[in-house]
Amino acid sequence: MQVITSTGALEAFCKDAARFHYVTVDTEFLRETTYWPRLCLVQAATPERAVIIDPLAEGIDLGPFAELLADEHVTKVFHAARQDVEIFVKLFDTVPTPMFDTQIAASVCGHGESISYDNLVRSIVGEQIDKSSRFTDWSARPLSEKQLTYALADVTHLRPIYVQLRDEIAKARRESWVADEMAVLEARDTYIVDPEQAWKRLKLKVTKPRDLAALQALARWREKKAQSNDQPRSRVLKDDAIYELAQQRPRSAEAFDKLRAVPRGFGRSASGGEILAIIARVEDMDKASLPAVPHRPRGPSPKGAVGDLLRVLLKAVADSNGVAPRIIASSDDIDAIVLDDQADVPALKGWRRKLFGAKALDIKHGRIGLAASRKGVVEFEIPQDTAEAG
């Protein structure tokens, strides 16, 4: 087992890895007390060799690994890539490309929704991973042999998994399905949180323009504070407190103590003073400057007959394609489609639209119907004069 602790050794590995058409990658990191994940270990494997890279080793420069991640001739293979890639975007300001995520690939090949790595190893490789080291302190040095063995397994088993899933995708002709998902993972914006857009991460519980203005301003303040102090958002202020502040908008330090979701005494802190200034600016905004509350389309109830029909269609489509229904559309997707033909949901985009979304709209508007048969649920076209009469 090779643990790379010097720039020279890392450069030699990366030069060798560039000869192959793929390299498997994983990381170990800590994030419980920080906004940004702290990288503690990088594991990488080519078809011939597997190594552990210690990013905490004194004097090591990860530049050669950044170049390997950017090499367009080498596919970077991850399992559940988002958090790993977020680390590399933060460190190197670039997204590894091209990329292959085995969790996504497994889902489109019928191995289950969001399947875990150890379950995929058990299913494809036929081995059981010892998970006892998963939640150890990866920043502590020296690392034990048990920790290193566990970490290395995250990329060695990934090699046969990648090869099998790649072949399954080609056989099923689902390359376009995976390509759509990879396009999202390879987009830099996927990993960048703009404080101006931070309010969109929150459920929209406000219905008044001034409340929304306050929510936007408070979410922006919290995001900036969390990023600059490298703290989790919840340690700056919890979501419930953001909602309550946006709606109640206290005008004095004492008024904070009457709020249920805000810690007692918070209004007299430096952060409390900053929030009071934010609220004052929101209160001073003229009506013309206030944001419009997003329109909520009105239509049939998502829980009514149309929603029920779309759920039947989803199960039929999923069964016929050998994938879990959740891979194609979520319950929220269906609710959104019932309310809005132009809903911004995955089920109305890319391969999901071709497979399910377009049919869902046809059912909603009475262009096709569903019927039970010995072969299961089948679709049939409804004559338009009949649909219009109904």
Side-chain angles (χ1 to χ4, degrees):
M1 180 186 306
Q2 182 183 6
V3 179
I4 293 176
T5 58
S6 70
T7 305
L10 177 59
E11 189 171 16
F13 167 75
C14 292
K15 183 177 180 180
D16 180 65
R19 298 187 298 113
F20 300 94
H21 77 274
Y22 77 88
V23 59
T24 59
V25 183
D26 189 45
T27 67
E28 306 297 341
F29 57 90
L30 297 178
R31 193 176 201 162
E32 288 78 5
T33 61
T34 61
Y35 181 94
W36 309 107
R38 183 189 179 196
L39 181 62
C40 299
L41 216 62
V42 178
Q43 305 95 278
T46 69
E48 294 181 355
R49 180 184 178 194
V51 300
I52 289 175
I53 304 162
D54 185 356
L56 302 183
E58 185 176 355
I60 194 168
D61 179 0
L62 296 179
F65 194 70
E67 293 179 11
L68 178 62
L69 293 179
D71 189 335
E72 295 186 357
H73 296 97
V74 181
T75 298
K76 273 63 67 173
V77 180
F78 296 86
H79 182 83
R82 281 182 182 255
Q83 291 195 81
D84 300 312
V85 176
E86 181 186 4
I87 293 171
F88 296 133
V89 171
K90 175 65 176 173
L91 285 176
F92 308 133
D93 195 31
T94 188
V95 179
T97 51
M99 203 186 312
F100 186 97
D101 188 320
T102 56
Q103 187 176 70
I104 291 172
S107 70
V108 303
C109 290
H111 290 275
E113 173 194 348
S114 300
I115 187 171
S116 67
Y117 180 67
D118 46 300
N119 283 337
L120 199 55
V121 170
R122 188 182 307 113
S123 171
I124 292 180
V125 184
E127 293 193 23
Q128 181 72 39
I129 293 178
D130 179 0
K131 299 184 288 185
S132 60
S133 297
R134 176 171 294 180
F135 299 111
T136 55
D137 183 357
W138 293 101
S139 67
R141 295 294 185 272
L143 294 169
S144 69
E145 192 72 17
K146 186 177 181 180
Q147 284 177 298
L148 295 173
T149 300
Y150 166 82
L152 205 62
D154 282 346
V155 288
T156 53
H157 294 315
L158 204 51
R159 294 180 294 198
I161 289 172
Y162 164 66
V163 171
Q164 177 165 324
L165 291 177
R166 180 194 60 194
D167 292 346
E168 286 184 26
I169 288 166
K171 184 177 180 180
R173 297 182 179 179
R174 292 180 178 175
E175 293 92 342
S176 64
W177 294 23
V178 177
D180 282 352
E181 304 306 303
M182 291 305 107
V184 175
L185 284 180
E186 292 176 0
R188 188 175 180 276
D189 288 348
T190 299
Y191 309 96
I192 305 300
V193 179
D194 179 1
E196 296 295 330
Q197 305 300 318
W199 68 277
K200 294 182 179 179
R201 301 173 67 93
L202 300 166
K203 291 184 178 179
L204 194 59
K205 296 182 179 180
V206 297
T207 58
K208 300 177 182 178
R210 201 170 299 275
D211 291 354
L212 178 56
L215 183 74
Q216 292 175 342
L218 290 167
R220 177 171 58 246
W221 169 84
R222 181 177 67 168
E223 201 70 28
K224 288 181 177 179
K225 180 78 72 174
Q227 290 181 358
S228 62
N229 293 346
D230 196 16
Q231 289 180 292
R233 297 179 190 91
S234 61
R235 290 205 175 188
V236 177
L237 209 56
K238 295 185 182 299
D239 288 355
D240 287 348
I242 295 288
Y243 293 128
E244 192 173 18
L245 286 166
Q247 293 174 312
Q248 299 299 323
R249 298 195 294 280
R251 301 304 298 272
S252 67
E254 293 72 25
F256 275 77
D257 292 336
K258 298 179 181 179
L259 304 179
R260 297 177 61 183
V262 179
R264 192 149 186 92
F266 186 86
R268 288 174 284 279
S269 68
S271 292
E274 293 172 7
I275 288 176
L276 285 172
I278 289 171
I279 291 173
R281 289 194 293 272
V282 170
E283 295 292 0
D284 287 341
M285 293 173 68
D286 59 77
K287 288 186 177 181
S289 301
L290 294 174
V293 177
H295 173 64
R296 295 183 178 181
R298 295 182 179 180
S301 168
K303 306 306 178 185
V306 175
D308 290 343
L309 283 172
L310 298 194
R311 287 173 171 82
V312 172
L313 171 68
L314 175 60
K315 187 177 187 312
V317 170
D319 287 348
S320 66
N321 286 276
V323 297
R326 181 64 179 78
I327 301 304
I328 300 169
S330 68
S331 182
D332 287 344
D333 285 358
I334 290 177
D335 289 352
I337 292 170
V338 173
L339 291 171
D340 184 4
D341 288 3
Q342 306 299 323
D344 184 16
V345 294
L348 290 180
K349 299 175 183 176
W351 64 269
R352 291 180 173 89
R353 185 183 184 97
K354 296 176 183 177
L355 204 67
F356 168 77
K359 294 178 182 179
L361 293 175
D362 284 342
I363 286 178
K364 175 182 174 181
H365 293 289
R367 292 188 285 267
I368 64 173
L370 300 175
S373 74
R374 291 182 179 179
K375 295 182 179 180
V377 175
V378 295
E379 306 151 21
F380 63 90
E381 189 174 342
I382 299 175
Q384 284 308 290
D385 55 348
T386 302
E388 290 168 5

